Amino acid sequence: MYSQGLIGADGSSDETPEFLEAFQKRIDAEEKIEPNDPMPAGYRRTLVRQIGQHAHSEIVGMLPEGNFITRAPSLKRKAALLAKVQDEGGHGLYLYSAAETLGVSREQMTDELLSGKAKYSSIFNYPTLSWADMGAIGWLVDGAAIMNQIALCRCSYGPYARAMIRVCKEESFHQRQGYEIMIELCRGTPAQKQMAQDALNRIWWPSIMMFGPHDGDSAHSEQSMKWKIKRFSNDALRRKFIDATVPQAEYLGLTMPDPDLRWDEDKQSYEHGPIDWTEFWNVVKGHGIMNVDRIKARQKAHDDGAWVREAALAHAAKRNARKEAAE
Amino acid sequence: MMILQNAILELADDNLILGHRVSEWCGHAPILEEDLAMPNMSLDMIGTARTLYAYAAHLENKGQTEDDMAYLRDEREYLNCLLVERPNGDFATTMLRQLYFAAFMEPYWQAALNSTDDVVRGVAGKAAKEMAYHIRHAGEWVIRLGDGTDESARRMKTAVTDLAPYVDELFQSSAAAKAAEDAGILPVRADMRAAWDKTINHIFGLAMLNPQEDTFAQSGGRQGLHGEGLGHILAVMQSINRAHPGAVW
C-alpha cells in the first residue's frame, strides 16, 4: 500500500533533443518502456526513486499491522491479518525486483531507507491503537492506495505496471477485508462501534493526505504526467477517493470527522474541509509519533539478521568450493 | 469424549502456540524472503489448530467455538508440549525448534492418515504435506547456519544445547493420548522416534552438528505445567477477546 503524491520527476537531462523527442513519441503512442530500452537518465532516476519509495512503504507498512498479529481477537482474524501482512511483504519483494531492472540493488535501496535518504509513505508513521485500526487501515489506507495504484497499472514503465496489476488485486481484497472488519464492529457492541468511530476519526485525515499536496503546490508533477509515470493529479484522485468512501461510512453508521464535508450538487462530488498541511509536513519531515520507532525496528531487524545473511553467503561459497573440488 | 477432546486439544495447542511464536517474527526477519516464509509457516500451524479446536468444541457439545478453546482457557488448561512455547531466541533457535517439531509431526500426520477418525484423517492429509515443507525449509537453514560462519556455527550449537531438554516430551503420550492411540484414532507418539532420529541425524551430518548427549529431559506441558513464557503468550493473545466478553469479530 502506498501513495504519497510527493514524487517529482527528475527532468534534468544530458540527452539530445532528438533522443528525448523519440522517447516521448514512444510514450505518447502508449508503448511500454522495458529495462533494456534506451531511456532518459531523469526518467530512470524518477522511477528508481518512486518504485524504491513504494517498496519501502510496503516493508515499513508491515509494522503497524504486524502490531496486532499476536492480539487479533479471533483465530479467523489472526489468520487473515497474517496473510495480509505477508502480502505487503510480497509487494515489497516484487517492487524491489522491479526497481532492480533499472540497475539498483535491493541492498542499496535498503541502505537508503535505513539512512533516511529514501522516504516511505507517511501514513505508516501513525501508531495503531486498537483492533479497529486493522479495519480502518484496510478500508481507508489500502483504499486510498488503490486509487493511486490502479492508475499505475498503466504506467509507461513495463515492469512497474505489470507488478501493479497483481498488487492491485491483492490490495482490493485487503480493502474489502478491512471494510468487513468495520462492518462487524459497527454491528457489534457499543464499545466495538466506539472503537470503529475512533479509528475513523484518527485515520481519515492522514488517509486523504496520502494523495499528497494540492495540485497547485505539487512540484514537478507535470513531467511525471508527460512521461505517463503518473496519470491523474493528486486532487483528482483524492476527490475520487472521498466520493467513494463517504457513502461507505454512511452505510456503517459512522460520522465523518470533517464538519465542513458537504455534497456539491453542481460538481456531483464532495467538498472537504481544510487539510492540516502543517501536520502532513511535520510527519514527512520525521516528526510523526512513530517515525523514529519504525526505522529503529527496520534497523534492528537488519542488524540482528546480519550474521544470518553472512552465514548463508559463507555456506554457499563453501558448497561451491566443494563442488568444484569434486569435479 | 473428554478424553478424546483433551488428546485433540494437545495437538491444537502445540500448533497454535508454535504458530504464535513464529508469527512474532513477521516484519522482523533477517531477510525479506523470511518475512514472507515465517507467516506462511505460522498460517499452516494456525490453520491446523483451528480445525482441531473446532473439533474439540464439537466433541464437548456445549455450543463452544474454536475461539472459545483458544481464547478462554488459562495457562493450566493449555496442554501444549514445552518445546513449542520456548522463546524465539535468535534465528538459529527458531529454525531448530521448527525442525524438531516438523520432524516429529510429519511422520505423525503420515501415520494419522490411517486413523479411524474422519476429522483426524482430514487434518493429517493437509498437515503432512505442510510439515514436510517445514522440515525442508528449517532443515536447509540449520545446514546453512551450522556450516556457515564461526558465529553461526556457535549459535547453532547453543540452540542444540538449549532445546535438547524439550525433545523427549514430543514422544511421550499423556493418558488422554494413550486412550486415543489405543482406539486407533491417533498414532502412537513413541513410534515416531526412528523417523525423527533419521531426519535429524541426516541434517545434523550436513550441518556439522552433534546431537546433545546426556540432557535432563523436561516434561509437564501435557498436564498444564508450563514454563513462564506461556502465560505471557496467552496474556497478549487473549487480551482483546477477553476485554469484550461475548463480542463477535
Side-chain angles (χ1 to χ4, degrees), chain A residues 59 70-75 77 79 82 85-86 89-90 106 184 192 195 298 307-309 311 315 318 322, chain B residues 20 26-27 30-33 36 40 42-43 67 71 141 147-148 151-152 155 236-237 240-241 244 248-249:
Chain A
I59 300 306
T70 55
R71 284 182 287 170
S74 75
L75 293 179
R77 295 294 182 198
L82 258 170
V85 176
Q86 186 195 31
R106 198 205 297 181
E184 206 63 75
Q192 284 177 301
M195 201 190 279
R298 289 312 310 160
W307 69 272
V308 176
R309 297 190 298 275
H315 178 73
K318 281 184 189 176
R322 278 179 215 141
Chain B
H20 183 99
C26 183
I31 52 169
L32 183 48
E33 282 76 358
L36 304 185
N40 228 53
S42 176
L43 277 167
D67 289 333
Y71 288 92
W141 272 114
D147 183 27
E151 182 182 5
S152 70
R155 285 174 181 264
V236 170
M237 183 169 80
I240 298 176
N241 182 293
H244 300 268
V248 175
W249 304 94

Side-chain angles (χ1 to χ4, degrees), chain B residues 23-93:
Chain B
S23 80
E24 292 170 355
W25 276 101
C26 183
H28 308 280
I31 52 169
L32 183 48
E33 282 76 358
E34 285 302 310
D35 270 321
L36 304 185
M38 291 215 260
N40 228 53
M41 295 192 289
S42 176
L43 277 167
D44 288 343
M45 293 183 279
I46 291 171
T48 297
R50 287 182 66 189
T51 312
L52 292 169
Y53 282 133
Y55 189 37
H58 167 79
L59 289 169
E60 187 154 329
N61 200 21
K62 286 183 188 160
Q64 288 181 300
T65 65
E66 58 178 43
D67 289 333
D68 295 333
M69 295 290 149
Y71 288 92
L72 301 179
R73 286 183 304 134
D74 291 323
E75 277 167 90
R76 292 286 282 110
E77 296 166 282
Y78 259 75
L79 302 175
N80 58 278
C81 63
L82 300 175
L83 175 72
V84 298
E85 69 188 54
R86 296 310 300 158
N88 285 339
D90 61 10
F91 192 69
T93 308

Side-chain angles (χ1 to χ4, degrees), chain A:
Chain A
M1 57 176 102
Y2 165 74
S3 170
Q4 184 126 322
L6 274 180
I7 311 266
D10 184 342
S12 64
S13 161
D14 299 327
E15 290 89 4
T16 63
E18 293 76 23
F19 176 85
L20 292 173
E21 198 184 321
F23 181 75
Q24 191 61 45
K25 259 193 187 147
R26 292 193 62 195
I27 299 278
D28 292 342
E30 297 289 335
E31 279 179 44
K32 286 278 178 268
I33 308 302
E34 297 299 338
N36 291 331
D37 292 350
M39 62 184 88
Y43 179 84
R44 185 186 297 273
R45 279 195 299 268
T46 303
L47 278 165
V48 165
R49 206 149 50 101
Q50 176 161 339
I51 301 172
Q53 287 195 17
H54 192 162
H56 298 326
S57 300
E58 302 283 358
I59 300 306
V60 177
M62 295 174 82
L63 298 172
E65 287 177 290
N67 184 31
F68 273 85
I69 286 174
T70 55
R71 284 182 287 170
S74 75
L75 293 179
K76 182 182 120 181
R77 295 294 182 198
K78 188 190 279 292
L81 184 61
L82 258 170
K84 190 201 165 184
V85 176
Q86 186 195 31
D87 280 354
E88 309 296 358
H91 298 170
L93 194 57
Y94 259 36
L95 288 159
Y96 283 130
S97 303
E100 282 181 326
T101 66
L102 291 159
V104 58
S105 71
R106 198 205 297 181
E107 289 71 21
Q108 268 171 278
M109 286 184 276
T110 301
D111 287 346
E112 288 185 359
L113 170 69
L114 296 178
S115 73
K117 192 178 164 211
K119 301 284 181 216
Y120 56 90
S121 187
S122 290
I123 192 79
F124 304 117
N125 290 321
Y126 291 87
T128 51
L129 301 179
S130 81
W131 172 252
D133 290 18
M134 300 303 102
I137 286 177
W139 172 35
L140 302 171
V141 175
D142 289 308
I146 291 166
M147 287 293 166
N148 199 38
Q149 290 173 185
I150 289 284
L152 287 173
C153 294
R154 293 196 294 129
C155 165
S156 59
Y157 188 58
Y160 193 27
R162 288 188 290 272
M164 276 304 110
I165 292 171
R166 174 160 173 182
V167 168
C168 278
K169 281 184 192 165
E170 292 180 351
E171 296 290 14
S172 150
F173 184 75
H174 297 165
Q175 202 248 352
R176 280 175 285 162
Q177 184 177 287
Y179 192 63
E180 203 256 332
I181 290 176
M182 297 301 280
I183 290 177
E184 206 63 75
L185 292 173
C186 291
R187 276 187 194 148
T189 63
Q192 284 177 301
K193 186 152 188 187
Q194 172 52 37
M195 201 190 279
Q197 180 67 56
D198 176 60
L200 173 61
N201 293 351
R202 282 182 289 110
I203 297 175
W204 172 250
W205 289 105
S207 72
I208 67 169
M209 290 181 203
M210 282 173 68
F211 295 96
H214 288 306
D215 296 346
D217 306 322
S218 178
H220 313 302
S221 260
E222 210 175 302
Q223 181 65 63
S224 267
M225 298 275 249
K226 205 173 156 210
W227 276 336
K228 298 193 177 173
I229 294 171
K230 184 173 175 156
R231 295 261 179 180
F232 298 98
S233 77
N234 295 352
D235 284 331
L237 287 170
R238 181 166 23 239
R239 177 178 296 281
K240 218 171 150 193
F241 172 70
I242 294 174
D243 288 349
T245 306
V246 174
Q248 293 168 349
E250 283 169 2
Y251 179 81
L252 293 172
L254 296 177
T255 308
M256 297 301 289
D258 177 359
D260 298 322
L261 187 77
R262 61 177 183 85
W263 176 253
D264 185 324
E265 195 58 41
D266 294 339
K267 290 185 187 156
Q268 287 294 298
S269 181
Y270 283 95
E271 283 298 324
H272 60 79
I275 294 174
D276 182 358
W277 292 112
T278 313
E279 178 190 313
F280 175 78
W281 288 114
N282 271 339
V283 180
V284 168
K285 284 173 187 157
H287 308 305
I289 200 161
M290 296 305 290
N291 289 61
V292 172
D293 291 0
R294 295 290 184 238
I295 289 300
K296 269 194 179 164
R298 289 312 310 160
Q299 184 74 55
K300 182 172 189 312
H302 189 74
D303 294 348
D304 290 354
W307 69 272
V308 176
R309 297 190 298 275
E310 283 160 18
L313 289 172
H315 178 73
K318 281 184 189 176
R319 201 145 63 175
N320 286 341
R322 278 179 215 141
K323 206 173 143 194
E324 275 169 25
E327 275 166 6

